[in-house]
Amino acid sequence: MATGLTLKATSGDYVVVDEGIYQAEVTGYTQEEDHPEYGPRVRIQVTIRDGGEFDGREMSGLCSVKFSAKSKLRVWVEAAIARKVEDGEDFNLDEIIGRPVMMQVVHRKTADRSYDNIGMLFPSKKQSTSSAGKRF
């Protein structure tokens, strides 16, 4: 028998990450359902790793799985691996996990609030040269 769950509405405690460039790490990806207009997509997870106020904050961005030279996914992959992917090259997305990147955070504003979004990923200045340790 239901006892009646009472809920208290709050404004939420989410703090929007300031716009700017952050040292970060690619921490994962998930395949998303196909979008009717854009087709198959992947969500790339990135975590801020700069020791500052937002250190440890996880963010994510959706990318089409198109892997052409100018596609967002390919640009982000190339940032993570700090090299160009050659046309015709097969690439396993697992290879970007644990890689350092520089992440640009931008805001998207609506009538009632701001959202933090990944604007772009850039190669990190802290790229590891060790094949065993991809972390920084």
Side-chain angles (χ1 to χ4, degrees), residues 35-48:
H35 186 278
E37 186 176 343
Y38 305 115
R41 302 173 302 164
V42 63
R43 180 175 297 279
I44 306 294
Q45 288 95 24
V46 183
T47 302
I48 296 174

Side-chain angles (χ1 to χ4, degrees), residues 13 35 41 56 103 133 136:
D13 57 359
H35 186 278
R41 302 173 302 164
M103 176 175 62
F136 51 95

Side-chain angles (χ1 to χ4, degrees), residues 9-75:
T10 66
S11 62
D13 57 359
Y14 184 80
V15 176
V16 176
V17 173
D18 294 338
E19 288 186 312
I21 306 289
Y22 295 87
Q23 183 66 42
E25 174 187 3
V26 178
T27 50
Y29 68 91
T30 54
Q31 291 181 296
E32 299 283 322
E33 289 185 29
D34 287 2
H35 186 278
E37 186 176 343
Y38 305 115
R41 302 173 302 164
V42 63
R43 180 175 297 279
I44 306 294
Q45 288 95 24
V46 183
T47 302
I48 296 174
R49 301 277 193 228
D50 68 354
E53 174 184 2
F54 301 108
D55 189 65
R57 174 69 68 88
E58 295 178 0
M59 298 180 68
S60 66
L62 277 174
C63 301
S64 163
V65 297
K66 293 176 184 164
F67 208 52
S68 64
K70 294 184 180 181
S71 70
K72 179 164 76 169
L73 181 58
R74 186 152 158 188
V75 170

Side-chain angles (χ1 to χ4, degrees), residues 19 106-110 113-117:
E19 288 186 312
V106 297
H107 289 173
R108 181 176 61 84
K109 296 176 174 55
T110 64
R113 69 178 282 201
S114 288
Y115 298 88
D116 46 23
N117 292 291

